[in-house]
Amino acid sequence: MNRLSDRKHRKLKIAIDGPAGAGKSTVARKVARALGYLYLDTGAMYRALAVLARERNISLDDHETLGAMASSVKMDVREDNGVFRVFLDGREVTDKLRTPETDRAVKLLAMSRPVREVLVSLQRKFAEGGGVVMEGRDITSVVMPDAEVKVFLTADLEERARRRWKELREKGIDIDLEEVLHELKERDRKDLERDWGRLVKVDDAVLIDSTGKTPDEVLAEILRLCEVKASCSTDLPGACSL
Ligand code: DC
């Protein structure tokens, strides 16, 4: 057990935001594993509701019905063996989260304010008491503005596209790099233009550019930030600034 996960130290809240393909999931999972914290992939939660909306044929611009759907379903999440699993009313939907259909639907569903309110409140419950690493788009700004460690993780558009393209090829999906690049640009636009929960870098978030870095290099940078925060004492306020 290291110093940060030691019982004597307070359990931190670690918030990681950034655009699609910046490496948030890989890095956040590594941070959580290193510290023995809970890992929460909030994108997967939006994706699960997009799966349900499609199954129920709910129009993705009918925000009221989407909100009612979100508040009436029981969502459970569990990370096991490197897989973030999502269950809706006890039924696992993990396999359906990363299909091209869900990719298309979730961009629109994430624009629904009633849906966001339901998920934000659920995510805040997971954050109670700390000891959590949460990643998404609005974690530093809306879900955990009180997080001790806030990171805005980004990378060049071309590098993000190459990573995503490699990932898809490894899954056997034959797709053009140009097409992936176009799709990422579109997702960036949607993430930045949303009225609610749009992707922003808050002032107290530390910017980490993962271009040309390995996940372990980014992990080391985040663990350093955590060390600083964990050793913060209320007697020494200056010691807490990152
Ligand atoms: O990180 P991801 O690609 O799995 O996210 C899926 C979608 O959900 C994407 O369109 C952005 C959106 N999202 C969001 O609006 N807020 C979050 N906290 C996480 C994801």
Side-chain angles (χ1 to χ4, degrees):
M1 184 183 287
N2 67 26
R3 236 166 66 81
L4 284 161
S5 55
D6 191 314
R7 277 173 194 278
K8 287 198 296 286
H9 286 86
R10 67 197 165 113
K11 296 262 186 188
L12 301 173
K13 290 180 184 172
I14 303 171
I16 305 177
D17 282 328
K24 297 186 301 289
S25 301
T26 308
V27 166
R29 189 176 268 123
K30 277 176 175 281
V31 174
R33 199 169 296 150
L35 301 178
Y37 283 10
L38 175 76
Y39 163 65
L40 207 70
D41 172 356
T42 62
M45 299 168 82
Y46 284 91
R47 286 173 180 275
L49 291 184
V51 169
L52 192 61
R54 276 177 45 81
E55 285 175 354
R56 293 189 181 172
N57 283 321
I58 300 174
S59 164
L60 295 165
D61 57 11
D62 182 353
H63 294 180
E64 204 180 313
T65 308
L66 289 172
M69 174 198 83
S71 55
S72 65
V73 72
K74 184 174 178 313
M75 185 183 294
D76 295 301
V77 299
R78 193 173 71 224
E79 148 94 346
D80 86 71
N81 283 330
V83 181
F84 188 82
R85 300 185 184 278
V86 185
F87 301 80
L88 297 176
D89 288 330
R91 176 176 64 102
E92 183 163 16
V93 292
T94 312
D95 284 352
K96 303 184 173 133
L97 300 181
R98 307 218 167 249
T99 64
E101 294 76 25
T102 307
D103 275 354
R104 276 193 291 276
V106 71
K107 283 185 294 209
L108 301 172
L109 173 123
M111 295 170 88
S112 158
R113 185 181 176 184
V115 167
R116 301 199 73 86
E117 283 173 348
V118 171
L119 287 186
V120 166
S121 125
L122 184 60
Q123 290 154 7
R124 284 184 179 150
K125 285 207 184 86
F126 281 111
E128 279 168 11
V132 64
V133 185
M134 211 182 286
E135 51 108 348
R137 305 295 192 286
D138 58 347
I139 312 305
T140 54
S141 56
V142 178
V143 180
M144 300 199 298
D146 58 337
E148 290 87 356
V149 177
K150 296 184 190 175
V151 172
F152 189 89
L153 186 64
T154 187
D156 283 353
L157 178 67
E158 284 72 20
E159 174 141 344
R160 292 194 280 126
R162 262 194 310 276
R163 286 178 189 166
R164 178 83 182 129
W165 178 72
K166 244 184 92 193
E167 220 175 81
L168 291 169
R169 303 268 302 194
E170 277 161 13
K171 278 194 200 159
I173 300 172
D174 187 21
I175 187 168
D176 251 22
L177 180 58
E178 274 307 307
E179 201 179 318
V180 176
L181 191 76
H182 175 77
E183 167 71 13
L184 263 188
K185 275 191 193 159
E186 178 63 15
R187 283 171 76 179
D188 283 357
R189 197 171 61 78
K190 285 261 187 311
D191 280 344
L192 296 168
E193 281 179 357
R194 258 197 307 275
D195 283 343
W196 303 100
R198 88 166 61 90
L199 177 65
V200 284
K201 182 198 162 301
V202 293
D203 287 345
D204 55 346
V206 175
L207 179 86
I208 299 181
D209 186 339
S210 69
T211 313
K213 289 182 188 160
T214 65
D216 282 334
E217 285 170 328
V218 179
L219 167 70
E221 283 186 50
I222 296 178
L223 290 181
R224 265 197 303 278
L225 300 176
C226 295
E227 276 288 346
V228 173
K229 284 296 179 179
S231 55
C232 278
S233 146
T234 44
D235 304 334
L236 292 169
C240 299
S241 50
L242 291 173

